Amino acid sequence: MMSRRRAAPDQVSWLARMVDSGTLEAALAGLLAVLVVLLDGLTAQPWQPVALDLTACVLAGLTPRWPRAAGVSLGAVLTLYVFIPASWGTLGEYSLLIPILGTGMRGSRRTRLFMTLAYFVILCAEAVTDDPAGRTPVIGWIAWAVLIAVLWLIGNVYFATIHALRAGKKAELVLQRQALARSLHDTVARSLTRVVMAAEAAQLRGHASGADLALISDAAARSTDELRWLMALLRDPDEDAELNVEDPTPLDRALTEAQTDLASHGFVVAMSAEGGFERLSRTQSELLGAIAAEACGNIVKHAEPGTACAIIVKVGEQDAEMVFVNRPRSEAREPSRFGSMGLSNVRGRVEQLGGELVVERQPDQWSARVRVPLAQDGSPPEKVA
């Protein structure tokens, strides 16, 4: 069945949450406010510069929520620093750097540009009033410009990095959902094929047995659930959620189910399995199990009922190989104008692991050969149930 689970947080998710929610500016402003209080306790400053510094810290922390109002108010408060006595020790001017950093990390380039131009003018004016007479304020201007440039660089690098991470995550999620959609298509097609086969058998006999009705009911109910999962997969807007098809079938169980299913439809099944399935990793075993289920569905749909079919599996040291052979129906169905989507899905999944699918069609025989190299799978081999 299909379930929804949250994606594992990436390494910068905590910082991304702080930036997106605006708590980064609040945290930096709070840290600066603590430094202001410590400076006041150590130097016994008058209350006026301390009040100005704390007001500037509060406004800097509010800029993510109200960028215009808080940003303009912050600039107005810091303009007062130009007119205060030079003997007052202040740290509030550094609060101007906080919104410049935060807007850059969020990618608000226009807001950052306006803040940078306005705040840099204020900082330059303050540098003029703070420098002793006879000294040029150019060095202070350069220092502020370098510091702001560093904040721009940090903001740009962070925004580009997080944007690339989110784009890669979104692309990976799209590929995952495409793979799940293909897998669900295969299961829906097999369920509906069983419904069609049971109905045709009942039509040939002139009546439907209890087993036919039970098979039709169960397969139709399952296909309805699978279609519902498919629609949920296609319309889910949550990019942080991953949809997963639970209980994938490993190869050994898939072969047992395939043999039982084929025998229930009147086929004489000859099965041969060589090699140890424990050499397969979980990914490889589940992939080969899905291929076996798809091949079994194709045999039921296209093979001549009551004839012999063969399933040959060989797991060697370097690769795993499966061969399916059956006799096609004398009255072949009209091929779909869309082609065999099931085989296309199988071929795509096999090629992802570096394998190959070869299908041969002859008037009296249909065969499919699948080969998957064991060394291509990146996950370590593990014994599957």
Side-chain angles (χ1 to χ4, degrees):
M1 62 181 296
M2 178 169 290
S3 67
R4 185 192 307 271
R5 61 183 176 89
R6 303 298 301 179
D10 53 65
Q11 296 178 350
V12 295
S13 61
W14 64 271
L15 180 58
R17 288 194 296 269
M18 291 186 65
V19 173
D20 295 339
S21 63
T23 55
L24 177 65
E25 285 93 326
L28 294 177
L31 179 61
L32 182 59
V34 172
L35 296 178
V36 168
V37 173
L38 291 177
L39 177 64
D40 177 62
L42 294 175
T43 60
Q45 291 286 325
W47 66 268
Q48 294 91 341
V50 177
L52 282 176
D53 286 349
L54 294 178
T55 302
C57 292
V58 171
L59 292 173
L62 294 176
T63 50
R65 186 174 181 85
W66 298 288
R68 292 186 180 181
V72 172
S73 300
L74 178 62
V77 170
L78 270 296
T79 303
L80 300 177
Y81 281 61
V82 180
F83 306 101
I84 64 177
S87 60
W88 288 359
T90 59
L91 294 175
E93 54 266 42
Y94 293 99
S95 64
L96 295 174
L97 304 176
I98 295 176
I100 294 177
L101 176 62
T103 52
M105 295 179 74
R106 280 190 298 275
S108 304
R109 299 181 182 272
R110 181 175 298 180
T111 303
R112 180 180 63 173
L113 178 60
F114 290 155
M115 287 183 174
T116 299
L117 295 177
Y119 293 167
F120 184 70
V121 172
I122 296 174
L123 293 173
C124 289
E126 186 181 354
V128 172
T129 59
D130 288 345
D131 283 339
R135 287 187 57 184
T136 176
V138 175
I139 296 179
W141 297 349
I142 295 176
W144 283 118
V146 171
L147 185 56
I148 291 175
V150 171
L151 296 180
W152 271 57
L153 179 61
I154 294 174
N156 290 343
V157 170
Y158 170 84
F159 180 75
T161 302
I162 201 68
H163 180 74
L165 288 175
R166 288 172 175 171
K169 182 179 179 181
K170 183 181 295 186
E172 182 181 359
L173 184 59
V174 170
L175 292 176
Q176 179 197 39
R177 293 186 175 183
Q178 289 177 347
L180 292 177
R182 289 193 297 267
S183 177
L184 284 175
H185 161 269
D186 296 342
T187 59
V188 171
R190 289 195 292 269
S191 298
L192 294 179
T193 297
R194 290 181 173 87
V195 173
V196 173
M197 298 297 296
E200 289 180 348
Q203 186 177 15
L204 290 175
R205 291 195 303 267
H207 68 279
S209 64
D212 292 333
L213 295 177
L215 176 60
I216 293 174
S217 177
D218 293 341
R222 180 171 179 80
S223 63
T224 300
D225 291 337
E226 291 162 347
L227 287 173
R228 188 180 299 113
W229 298 339
L230 182 59
M231 293 305 298
L233 178 69
L234 295 177
R235 70 167 179 262
D236 181 19
D238 189 359
E239 295 179 359
D240 292 330
E242 293 181 2
L243 295 175
N244 185 38
V245 177
E246 295 180 348
D247 194 24
T249 305
L251 178 58
D252 51 355
R253 195 172 79 194
L255 291 176
T256 302
E257 293 177 356
Q259 188 173 18
T260 303
D261 190 28
L262 290 172
S264 66
H265 285 87
F267 292 96
V268 180
V269 185
M271 180 173 294
S272 172
E274 298 181 10
F277 288 176
E278 67 275 2
R279 297 172 184 168
L280 301 173
S281 71
R282 183 176 300 275
T283 301
Q284 293 164 340
S285 179
E286 292 171 356
L287 170 62
L288 294 176
I291 294 173
E294 175 65 26
C296 173
N298 281 336
I299 292 174
V300 172
K301 185 176 181 179
H302 299 292
E304 184 70 32
T307 59
C309 61
I311 302 177
I312 304 170
V313 182
K314 182 179 180 181
V315 180
E317 294 290 342
Q318 300 297 327
D319 55 21
E321 188 174 9
M322 292 195 305
V323 180
F324 303 89
V325 182
N326 64 272
R327 180 180 176 183
R329 289 190 181 187
S330 55
E331 302 111 2
R333 295 178 181 268
E334 183 180 353
S336 170
R337 62 187 180 93
F338 297 106
S340 177
M341 187 174 294
L343 289 177
S344 299
N345 294 341
V346 168
R347 179 174 283 106
R349 297 179 66 181
V350 168
E351 290 177 352
Q352 286 181 352
L353 295 183
E356 60 179 353
L357 168 66
V358 179
V359 178
E360 297 181 357
R361 296 180 178 87
Q362 299 178 5
D364 57 348
Q365 180 176 292
W366 181 93
S367 65
R369 182 185 301 272
V370 179
R371 186 191 64 84
V372 175
L374 303 185
Q376 290 292 330
D377 188 21
S379 57
E382 55 179 308
K383 189 173 182 179
V384 296

